[in-house]
């Protein structure tokens, strides 16, 4: 089924969230390989560690190949939708609707662009790990390139946000009455994505200069994200409690889930970076349990509140399964991915590493089945929205 073209004034930068969601789903399938295939001595699994399991020719091989194919498929979907978005956005920039967007609260939606580019870097790294044999022999040459790419994305994100924030400070165009949702958190989502991107070379590089730059930049954007979170949530709650939440943008409650997941992963990576280069010791497993359990608890709270609000407003009936259309609906994909991803971290880094449950124990599979259900619902919702909003 072909995609719609030339949306013009009907286009919204929030369509980039479709590409972002596909990239997130590729990460979710990669986690099966990364957490369940042993790769002692390296931080992330690669094709060198996966091939022996494929060559066994048993049911494990089938599961491994299935996870790899699903990862490749959603990486393809990510870049396919990214290219479509770039084409449509270039046309949208020439429209009057774009000029109007730049004068309203919705200008912050432009932050979905660097956010998606950040995901592109993550999916590219996963693709390299799954296709380049001996990647750990050249990985120290890849990290500086990754830093440069994230510096470009970070500069682009800061440029967009500072232009928006400066304009609002000078003009006073920010409409508090129209801020009865959490859509402003899209900027924080982008800064958290950039933070976790920088944290990767910060944690994994053996070069002290590369690692230090990665750690410093990851902390810089994490601080921005955390600081803005408090400000934006307070402003949003004030408008919501006064006017009630907007039905179409009620899905924005769940944007806190990917923000929490990204910041958790960033701080876990930063911890490994500190212990590797400064303390020269193993990371305390109790700390991993503390950070994953506390942030996962917050995600459960936001998840439940968001679910009951959207259920009460008939959001799922109208915007997911019904005829109502909104590009912001794609914001529902990343929370599903984020809940799955942090759940996997909680199981493996929080519970298994601390000996609370054993890997492949009955308790382990109970947790895993729940996460697989979340992943399944997220995938089916992704294809529903793609079919309704992007395909002809």
């Amino acid at each position: 089924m072909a995609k719609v073209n030339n949306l013009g004034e009907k286009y919204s930068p929030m369509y980039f969230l479709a590409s972002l969601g596909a990239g997130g789903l590729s990460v979710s399938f990669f986690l099966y390989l990364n957490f369940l295939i042993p790769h002692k001595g390296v931080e992330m699994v690669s094709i060198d560690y996966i091939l022996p399991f494929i060559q066994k020719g048993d049911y494990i091989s089938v599961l491994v190949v299935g996870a790899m194919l699903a990862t490749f498929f959603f990486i393809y979907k990510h870049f396919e939708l990214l290219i479509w978005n770039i084409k449509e956005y270039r046309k949208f920039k020439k429209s009057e609707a774009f000029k109007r967007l730049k004068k309203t609260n919705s200008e912050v939606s432009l932050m979905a662009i660097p956010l998606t580019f950040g995901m592109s870097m993550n999916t590219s790294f996963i693709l390299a790990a799954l296709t380049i044999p001996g990647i750990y022999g050249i990985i120290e040459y890849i990290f500086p390139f990754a830093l440069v790419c994230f510096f470009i994305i970070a500069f682009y994100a800061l440029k967009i946000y500072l232009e928006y924030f400066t304009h609002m400070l000078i003009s006073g165009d920010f409409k508090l009455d129209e801020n009865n949702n959490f859509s402003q958190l899209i900027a924080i989502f982008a800064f958290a994505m950039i933070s976790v991107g920088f944290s990767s070379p910060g944690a994994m590089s053996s070069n002290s200069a590369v690692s230090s730059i990665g750690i410093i930049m990851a902390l810089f954007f994490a601080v921005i994200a955390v600081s803005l979170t408090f400000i934006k949530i307070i402003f949003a709650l004030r408008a919501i409690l006064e006017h009630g939440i907007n039905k179409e943008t009620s899905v924005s409650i769940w944007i806190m889930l990917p923000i929490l997941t990204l910041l958790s992963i960033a701080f876990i990576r930063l911890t490994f970076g500190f212990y590797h280069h400064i303390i020269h010791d193993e990371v305390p497993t109790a700390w991993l349990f503390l950070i994953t359990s506390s942030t996962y608890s917050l995600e459960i709270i936001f998840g439940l509140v968001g679910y009951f609000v959207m259920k009460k407003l008939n959001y799922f009936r109208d915007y997911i399964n019904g005829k109502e259309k909104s590009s912001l609906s794609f914001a529902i994909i990343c929370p599903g991915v984020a809940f799955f991803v942090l759940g996997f971290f909680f199981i493996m880094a929080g519970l298994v590493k601390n000996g609370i449950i054993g890997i492949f124990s009955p308790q382990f599979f109970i947790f895993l089945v729940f996460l697989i259900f979340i992943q399944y619902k997220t995938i089916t919702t992704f294809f529903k929205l793609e079919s309704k909003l992007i395909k002809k």
Side-chain angles (χ1 to χ4, degrees):
M1 194 182 292
K3 293 178 177 58
V4 294
N5 293 305
N6 303 313
L7 287 174
E9 295 202 354
K10 294 180 180 179
Y11 179 79
S12 166
M14 286 298 187
Y15 275 108
F16 272 92
L17 297 181
S19 175
L20 179 72
L25 286 169
S26 73
V27 173
S28 72
F29 280 101
F30 176 72
L31 285 189
Y32 290 114
L33 303 171
N34 194 52
F35 278 127
L36 302 181
I37 291 181
H39 48 279
K40 191 174 181 180
V42 297
E43 291 81 0
M44 193 170 85
V45 76
S46 68
I47 189 64
D48 300 297
Y49 297 90
I50 296 171
L51 272 178
F53 286 87
I54 295 176
Q55 293 166 348
K56 284 184 177 181
D58 54 12
Y59 76 97
I60 297 293
S61 302
V62 175
L63 293 175
V64 169
V65 170
M68 286 187 69
L69 290 176
T71 303
F72 289 140
F73 172 76
F74 281 108
I75 289 175
Y76 164 76
K77 291 296 294 182
H78 167 74
F79 285 106
E80 178 195 33
L81 290 167
L82 179 64
I83 292 168
W84 176 83
N85 269 286
I86 291 171
K87 290 178 180 177
E88 292 296 318
Y89 176 68
R90 290 177 66 183
K91 297 169 187 174
F92 174 68
K93 282 188 73 174
K94 300 173 184 177
S95 69
E96 290 297 318
F98 179 76
K99 294 177 182 177
R100 292 193 297 271
L101 177 78
K102 295 279 285 183
K103 297 177 182 178
T104 67
N105 296 10
S106 297
E107 184 182 357
V108 76
S109 65
L110 295 174
M111 291 295 289
I113 304 172
L115 167 62
T116 307
F117 288 154
M119 178 60 77
S120 298
M121 286 296 299
N122 292 330
T123 54
S124 297
F125 201 77
I126 288 172
L127 186 62
L130 295 181
T131 55
I132 302 176
I135 190 171
Y136 278 100
I138 59 169
I139 200 163
E140 289 298 339
Y141 298 100
I142 297 176
F143 286 140
F145 172 74
L147 285 179
V148 171
C149 290
F150 272 108
F151 267 113
I152 294 170
I153 296 168
F155 175 81
Y156 183 41
L158 286 172
K159 180 177 181 294
I160 291 173
Y161 195 73
L162 288 174
E163 284 181 0
Y164 161 69
F165 197 64
T166 302
H167 165 241
M168 290 300 174
L169 286 175
I170 294 172
S171 66
D173 284 340
F174 190 83
K175 301 294 188 294
L176 284 172
D177 292 347
E178 297 175 9
N179 193 44
N180 57 333
N181 56 70
F182 292 94
S183 298
Q184 293 290 317
L185 295 180
I186 195 73
I188 298 162
F189 191 179
F191 290 134
M193 179 68 78
I194 293 168
S195 176
V196 83
F198 276 118
S199 71
S200 183
M204 296 171 64
S205 178
S206 297
N207 183 293
S208 58
V210 171
S211 178
S212 298
I213 292 170
I215 288 173
I216 291 168
M217 295 308 299
L219 283 171
F220 177 78
F221 283 99
V223 169
I224 292 176
V226 171
S227 302
L228 285 176
T229 297
F230 287 108
I231 297 170
K232 296 297 185 180
I233 285 182
I234 290 169
F235 278 125
L237 279 175
R238 175 189 168 186
I240 289 169
L241 293 174
E242 187 174 347
H243 302 286
I245 195 164
N246 180 285
K247 178 180 177 179
E248 181 183 350
T249 56
S250 60
V251 67
S252 62
I253 296 174
W254 276 357
I255 292 180
M256 271 305 299
L257 273 68
I259 291 172
L260 287 166
T261 293
L262 289 172
L263 290 176
S264 296
I265 296 171
F267 284 120
I268 288 171
R269 286 178 174 177
L270 288 171
T271 302
F272 276 98
F274 285 134
Y275 272 80
H276 177 66
H277 289 288
I278 301 172
I279 302 176
H280 305 291
D281 197 1
E282 293 292 322
V283 175
T285 56
W287 166 248
L288 299 178
F289 173 79
L290 179 64
I291 193 170
T292 55
S293 61
S294 57
T295 48
Y296 207 46
S297 298
L298 280 173
E299 286 199 10
I300 291 171
I301 293 169
F302 276 99
L304 288 174
V305 171
Y307 175 79
F308 283 109
V309 168
M310 286 186 278
K311 189 75 173 175
K312 189 76 172 178
L313 292 172
N314 294 319
Y315 182 88
F316 302 109
R317 185 194 69 185
D318 297 336
Y319 283 95
I320 304 300
N321 301 310
K323 295 181 180 180
E324 295 289 340
K325 294 184 178 182
S326 171
S327 58
L328 187 58
S329 296
F330 277 112
I332 205 170
I333 304 303
C334 280
V337 170
F339 195 76
F340 173 90
V341 169
L342 189 58
F344 226 136
F345 270 86
F346 172 61
I347 293 171
M348 299 302 296
L351 300 180
V352 173
K353 270 190 174 293
N354 283 280
I356 298 172
I357 64 171
I359 191 167
F360 304 133
S361 65
Q363 300 95 321
F364 174 87
F365 283 109
I366 290 171
F367 279 108
L368 190 59
V369 166
F370 172 68
L371 293 182
I372 291 171
F373 172 74
I374 297 295
Q375 185 185 37
Y376 165 76
K377 293 294 290 183
T378 305
I379 292 168
T380 55
T381 302
F382 171 81
F383 286 116
K384 278 182 187 177
L385 292 175
E386 184 191 30
S387 179
K388 182 165 72 168
L389 299 174
I390 293 180
K391 292 184 177 178
K392 292 181 181 178

